[in-house]
Amino acid sequence: MSSKPAATHSARQITGVVSPNPGAGEGLAYPAIRYTYNLDGQPTLIEQGTVVSQSQADFANFVTLQQQAFTYDSVGRRTRANLENANGARLTLQQYTPPMS
């Protein structure tokens, strides 16, 4: 069984993906990824975590294990990517400098 999109929004972007249960029948949570976008359709937050089933409704109880947040400048270029664990501790930070024109 492969990963499947669990949810999309009105712009048809994927907002959640659930992977198969790694220990089927053992009561383990399903690995999942949740996506948040800005009004320009760029990802602003990608969360890795778990849900209790492959149902779209279970994303209401999504448990975040780590997340990556992105910021963009006024013309849509990525300026920063920040990876944090579930406790909010920064794991990595990448800053981007746009090319000089």
Side-chain angles (χ1 to χ4, degrees):
M1 185 175 190
S2 63
S3 299
K4 67 174 194 168
T8 58
H9 61 52
S10 60
R12 296 186 182 205
Q13 289 178 300
I14 295 172
T15 57
V17 175
V18 181
S19 295
N21 188 317
E26 297 178 19
L28 297 176
Y30 289 79
I33 300 174
R34 182 167 57 183
Y35 300 92
T36 304
Y37 303 92
N38 63 18
L39 294 176
D40 293 325
Q42 298 167 305
T44 56
L45 187 64
I46 300 174
E47 300 167 276
Q48 294 177 330
T50 60
V51 292
V52 296
S53 80
Q54 289 189 313
S55 165
Q56 181 176 347
D58 283 325
F59 267 87
N61 298 313
F62 184 91
V63 175
T64 300
L65 302 175
Q66 72 177 22
Q67 64 184 22
Q68 190 165 17
F70 304 99
T71 56
Y72 301 88
D73 65 14
S74 61
V75 294
R77 295 176 295 206
R78 184 177 292 171
T79 57
R80 180 180 230 179
N82 186 37
L83 179 65
E84 298 178 346
N85 67 16
N87 298 321
R90 182 179 294 155
L91 302 175
T92 63
L93 171 65
Q94 292 179 318
Q95 293 184 335
Y96 303 90
T97 304
M100 301 301 282
S101 45

